[in-house]
Amino acid sequence: MQSQRSEATAGQPVATTVKPLQFRGRSLTAVALHLAGRADGDFLAALEARLRQTPLFFENAPLVLDLTEAEGLDGSEAMAKLAGELRSRRLSVFGVQNASAAQAQSAQAAGLIVLPSGRDVGLERVGQAQAAAQVVARTRPGRGKPEPEPAPKEPQARLITQPVRSGQTVFADRGDLVIIGPVSSGAEVIATGNIHIYGRLRGRALAGVNGDTSARIFCHALDAELLAIAGLYRTSETLGPDIPRDFVQVYLEGEKLCVAPLK
């Protein structure tokens, strides 16, 4: 294998092949964990109980600590210990918000970033997906007029003609997702619009992830680990024996996620 390194001689510049860096914006939805009181044993016990109710739902999801009502955590050791406890439960904590000056300092010392306050939605409406669009006015240098906004992309359905295996994630970011085949346990299918599954759904399905409450999930056979529309979700533990399982549709009725047979 030939080395890609260039040797320089005296008085000669060194040629490099390093490409320029690129910074691109990304939006994501983070779970905000409101900490009331101290992060003691009672808090960890309550957290454990909550995680048992929705296994896998918060796993590896971006997590922010809301410290509005938190007590303590003024030292980096206490903050680092709490971050470690959360990460040991596969909660990906990366920052804090509504922190006091001392808490912000201890968070930074513990490797967390300090964020401005965000807009809350209930945990039941977080899903993994509800993204808020933020419009930034751009002005050309030397001109006082903002540039025109780019035209929105046309909706476009995504078609998958093979089974979705465990560990795979399929995302339709511009409309409906159509899957011809089964979705295995441990797989995840996500769409900004509807989800159509011509097969058995065993994994997780999240429709209307940009907040479209009219989105629906359709499948031939239902055995899902999690169903979500516009962030409102139900897990397999809440899908009792009275829930229809064959040729069903999932939709929102107010704040309730309903499962009904196709008519």
Side-chain angles (χ1 to χ4, degrees):
M1 180 181 293
Q2 292 183 342
S3 173
Q4 298 297 318
R5 182 178 178 181
S6 298
E7 298 292 341
T9 59
Q12 292 181 336
V14 178
T16 64
T17 58
V18 178
K19 294 182 178 180
L21 294 173
Q22 290 186 347
F23 291 91
R24 298 190 177 187
R26 287 290 185 269
S27 63
L28 57 84
T29 298
V31 176
L33 175 59
H34 292 252
L35 178 57
R38 296 188 173 274
D40 52 16
D42 291 339
F43 163 77
L44 294 176
L47 178 63
E48 289 279 5
R50 176 62 171 169
L51 294 178
R52 283 195 297 270
Q53 293 175 4
T54 53
L56 302 180
F57 184 68
F58 298 107
E59 183 176 322
N60 296 325
L63 182 75
V64 175
L65 288 175
D66 189 316
L67 304 181
T68 304
E69 302 178 56
E71 297 177 7
L73 299 178
D74 297 331
S76 59
E77 183 177 350
M79 188 71 75
K81 180 180 178 181
L82 175 58
E85 292 283 2
L86 296 172
R87 288 169 180 155
S88 70
R89 293 162 174 81
R90 306 190 73 172
L91 298 173
S92 300
V93 58
F94 69 93
V96 300
Q97 64 181 18
N98 298 320
S100 66
Q103 289 169 340
Q105 186 175 1
S106 66
Q108 290 173 332
L112 302 176
I113 61 175
V114 180
L115 300 168
S117 300
R119 181 177 65 88
D120 270 356
V121 293
L123 283 179
E124 290 75 10
R125 297 194 61 81
V126 171
Q128 288 186 349
Q130 185 159 353
Q134 186 176 21
V135 179
V136 179
R138 298 184 300 272
T139 304
R140 294 176 180 155
R143 301 183 183 181
K145 296 180 180 179
E147 295 181 3
E149 290 296 324
K153 295 181 179 180
E154 291 293 326
Q156 181 176 348
R158 183 176 181 185
L159 174 64
I160 304 296
T161 59
Q162 56 190 7
V164 182
R165 305 297 185 186
S166 179
Q168 287 184 304
T169 297
V170 179
F171 182 31
D173 62 345
R174 292 173 56 189
D176 290 3
L177 176 60
V178 181
I179 299 172
I180 302 176
V183 177
S184 299
S185 176
E188 188 173 61
V189 292
I190 307 170
T192 58
N194 304 305
I195 296 177
H196 306 259
I197 301 172
Y198 295 94
R200 181 173 294 275
L201 169 59
R202 289 192 173 93
R204 300 191 286 182
L206 300 89
V209 296
N210 281 355
D212 183 2
T213 57
S214 67
R216 298 194 177 205
I217 300 170
F218 306 90
C219 67
H220 279 188
L222 178 63
D223 193 16
E225 296 170 341
L226 180 140
L227 299 168
I229 296 177
L232 192 68
Y233 71 91
R234 293 181 67 171
T235 63
S236 57
E237 289 82 0
T238 64
L239 298 175
D242 57 324
I243 296 295
R245 297 288 178 169
D246 297 321
F247 297 97
V248 300
Q249 59 176 322
V250 184
Y251 58 93
L252 283 182
E253 193 172 83
E255 293 294 311
K256 182 180 179 182
L257 195 69
C258 302
V259 182
L262 287 169
K263 297 179 180 178

